[in-house]
Amino acid sequence: MFDKILIANRGEIALRVIRACREMGIRTVAVHSTADTDAMHVRMADEALCIGPPAASESYLSVPAIISACEITGAQAIHPGYGFLSENAAFVQVVEDHALSFIGPSAAHIRMMGDKITAKETMRTLGVPCVPGSEGGIEDLETARRVAGEIGFPVLVKATAGGGGRGMKLARDAGELEAAFSGARSEARSVFGNPDVYLEKYLANPRHIEIQVFGDGKGNAVHLGERDCSLQRRHQKIFEEAPAPGLSEAERARIGGICADAMARIGYAGAGTVEFLYEDGDFHFIEMNTRLQVEHPVTEEVYGVDLVREQIRVAAGEPLSFTQAELTPQGHAIEVRINAERLPDFAPRPGLVSVFHAPGGLGVRMDSALYAGYRIPPYYDSLIGKLIVHGRDRPEALARLRRALGELIVDGIDTTVPLFHALLADPEVRAGACSIHWLEDWLARNIEPEPAAPQA
Ligand code: ADP
């Protein structure tokens, strides 16, 4: 087992990793930019090293700075958290070339799943059900027209290098295809530096349900059920829960089994998430994330396991600490992502937090790096905390979430807490099983100002 781990991240996820390390008796190294000198992860880690200026490209994304920090401190392994370098295959290669361990999958698996065309082809071959679409990339409009005709409109043109909901354009009919095709290609080229796109059937009313998988890198893999992350704004999840409302044990076992089997066959190591759109009882694979997800705590709550500890064990060559038969979900968990943003327009609102009080009590977990007197820097993501609740069933989890939100105090900045109070009062949220479009429609009716007329 490692003696010392460097965490190449900040905020709540850096604390999350420090917590797992501390319970395992592993020393931790925090790295930080000059904007994060006062950040909580710097205080909590055993050692801290400043690695650059505020811009993430010169600090949290600086591969030479992070590798040097390992050499200076003697850290043997790097936990990347999520975002930043967590899905960067070239970084993993550099880590391995320096005889350090990357706490995550191999560079080859990150590359395989990071390219969505390759990911879909691989998953289809492994028997994972996929969204109907083109086989491979589409290079010209003529082919796009022919394939769209075969799969039927509406279709989505998606960037193979896409992420964060970027590089995706909808064509409702043949007349919209040309604009969607060229629009997706140029966005893909400018945002991701790779113009390759593919076509996918646009599903009208699906839910987003993802499967948590875990492999030991030696041909064994398990699944830890699903998370329903259908409440999304601009393709960003804000409310996640496990289990997915209405999903039967048989459906979970079937899709979970397919995913675990696929991971075992490719020899996957560590945590991964296989994302699906779920419509009319069918799962359709869209992409795989080869890292720990923001929403991993809901799985930890219902399965009672520490996923970060498991990641560290696997990276150190140890076997998984559970078998599939030992994994049974208990009760219901919900997470809400709280951002430093002002409603109704969700404008980022960093600033000085004058008072901070985290909720507590039975079944309540607050993963946050906030403290009173902390000035949130303007350079990074606006996520300031995740409030996670666990109850015996969904109604209990909902009641607990409402109670816990009421206890949370964050003074001095605007947050998205009022949005969750409003959502929890909505009968459709309370009933569960909303589609991926539900929140945008709800926001348009309840929160967001009238959108400006599109420019011709
Ligand atoms: P990204 O990597 O940018 O997050 P994904 O492929 O995971 O892209 O898709 C993000 C979101 O876009 C999904 O959660 C869903 O809301 C929507 N989406 C993606 N593919 C489709 C599809 N074929 N039909 C309908 N919605 C889709």
Side-chain angles (χ1 to χ4, degrees):
M1 185 45 71
F2 310 116
D3 301 315
K4 202 187 260 191
I5 290 176
L6 180 140
I7 300 141
N9 216 304
R10 62 183 301 282
E12 68 85 20
I13 195 61
L15 292 197
R16 173 70 192 83
V17 178
I18 292 171
R19 286 178 173 137
C21 290
R22 200 144 282 160
E23 290 182 19
M24 297 173 82
I26 299 170
R27 292 180 60 76
T28 52
V29 179
V31 291
H32 64 94
S33 71
T34 50
D36 272 343
T37 308
D38 297 326
M40 189 54 100
H41 75 286
V42 174
R43 290 193 184 186
M44 286 257 274
D46 295 309
E47 289 170 63
L49 223 63
C50 182
I51 54 164
S57 58
E58 295 175 58
S59 50
Y60 297 104
L61 290 169
S62 167
V63 175
I66 288 166
I67 300 291
S68 308
C70 284
E71 286 175 352
I72 292 166
T73 58
Q76 301 137 330
I78 300 176
H79 196 301
Y82 50 69
F84 292 136
L85 294 166
S86 61
E87 291 177 292
N88 186 321
F91 173 62
V92 177
Q93 200 56 61
V94 174
V95 171
E96 285 167 6
D97 292 347
H98 284 78
L100 298 165
S101 298
F102 179 75
I103 301 175
S106 67
H109 285 146
I110 293 177
R111 217 171 271 124
M112 171 193 280
M113 297 303 171
D115 180 279
K116 292 187 179 189
I117 293 173
T118 315
K120 256 185 113 168
E121 276 170 5
T122 308
M123 290 302 216
R124 194 182 288 122
T125 313
L126 291 166
V128 177
C130 295
V131 184
S134 55
E135 284 190 21
I138 300 233
E139 273 160 29
D140 58 80
L141 186 61
E142 286 326 299
T143 318
R145 285 213 172 95
R146 182 176 51 73
V147 174
E150 282 162 21
I151 60 179
F153 285 95
V155 296
L156 266 185
V157 187
K158 294 173 82 167
T160 191
R166 306 289 303 274
M168 216 186 293
K169 299 283 179 212
L170 173 65
R172 274 168 292 228
D173 52 45
E176 290 185 353
L177 189 61
E178 184 168 357
F181 184 73
S182 56
R185 277 180 70 89
S186 61
E187 186 168 310
R189 187 184 294 110
S190 65
V191 181
F192 306 107
N194 175 356
D196 293 349
V197 296
Y198 61 105
L199 283 198
E200 215 167 73
K201 175 93 185 155
Y202 178 75
L203 301 177
N205 237 359
R207 288 161 66 189
H208 175 115
I209 299 185
E210 56 186 35
I211 305 292
Q212 175 72 55
V213 289
F214 228 106
D216 69 356
K218 297 166 188 152
N220 302 301
V222 297
H223 72 86
L224 292 97
E226 79 286 4
R227 295 181 286 259
D228 187 329
C229 314
S230 299
L231 291 197
Q232 300 179 359
R233 176 176 177 271
R234 303 199 173 159
H235 301 302
Q236 301 291 326
K237 303 159 187 169
I238 63 153
F239 178 112
E240 302 103 347
E241 59 186 314
L247 194 79
S248 72
E249 214 175 294
E251 281 177 291
R252 171 175 312 114
R254 195 183 71 84
I255 193 68
I258 290 172
C259 293
D261 181 57
M263 292 304 113
R265 278 162 64 192
I266 63 172
Y268 189 79
T273 296
V274 188
E275 296 194 332
F276 293 93
L277 295 178
Y278 177 78
E279 193 175 56
D280 301 329
D282 290 322
F283 283 91
H284 306 277
F285 170 75
I286 46 172
E287 68 161 342
M288 175 165 180
N289 293 322
T290 50
R291 55 169 159 82
L292 191 70
Q293 302 269 102
V294 176
E295 60 272 23
H296 76 277
V298 295
T299 300
E300 295 189 320
E301 294 301 315
V302 293
Y303 282 89
V305 300
D306 180 337
L307 291 174
V308 177
R309 176 175 189 269
E310 215 56 33
Q311 287 187 297
I312 296 169
R313 283 174 56 92
V314 166
E318 294 188 10
L320 295 177
S321 64
F322 36 70
T323 63
Q324 191 67 61
E326 287 164 349
L327 294 167
T328 318
Q330 299 287 341
H332 198 94
I334 305 176
E335 170 183 287
V336 292
R337 298 192 195 187
I338 298 167
N339 289 347
E341 289 171 355
R342 181 194 63 194
L343 300 174
D345 56 357
F346 295 89
R349 273 290 179 273
L352 182 68
V353 177
S354 53
V355 180
F356 174 65
H357 172 76
L362 181 63
V364 175
R365 164 175 171 183
M366 181 88 197
D367 281 18
S368 172
L370 283 195
Y371 61 90
Y374 175 58
R375 185 176 288 282
I376 300 168
Y379 309 104
Y380 313 106
D381 194 89
S382 58
L383 182 81
I384 52 166
K386 307 183 309 203
L387 174 56
I388 305 109
V389 295
H390 186 214
R392 283 172 300 179
D393 53 23
R394 193 168 188 273
E396 187 171 272
L398 286 168
R400 191 156 282 160
L401 180 57
R402 196 208 290 254
R403 185 271 288 172
L405 279 169
E407 286 176 19
L408 173 63
I409 301 172
V410 185
D411 283 349
I413 57 163
D414 290 306
T415 75
T416 50
V417 166
L419 169 68
F420 297 112
H421 278 299
L423 281 174
L424 284 174
D426 188 278
E428 291 183 86
V429 171
R430 303 191 68 77
C434 293
S435 92
I436 57 171
H437 306 301
W438 185 90
L439 180 63
E440 295 276 5
D441 294 345
W442 184 92
L443 287 170
R445 280 182 279 118
N446 293 279
I447 302 264
E448 273 179 305
E450 287 290 300
Q455 302 290 307

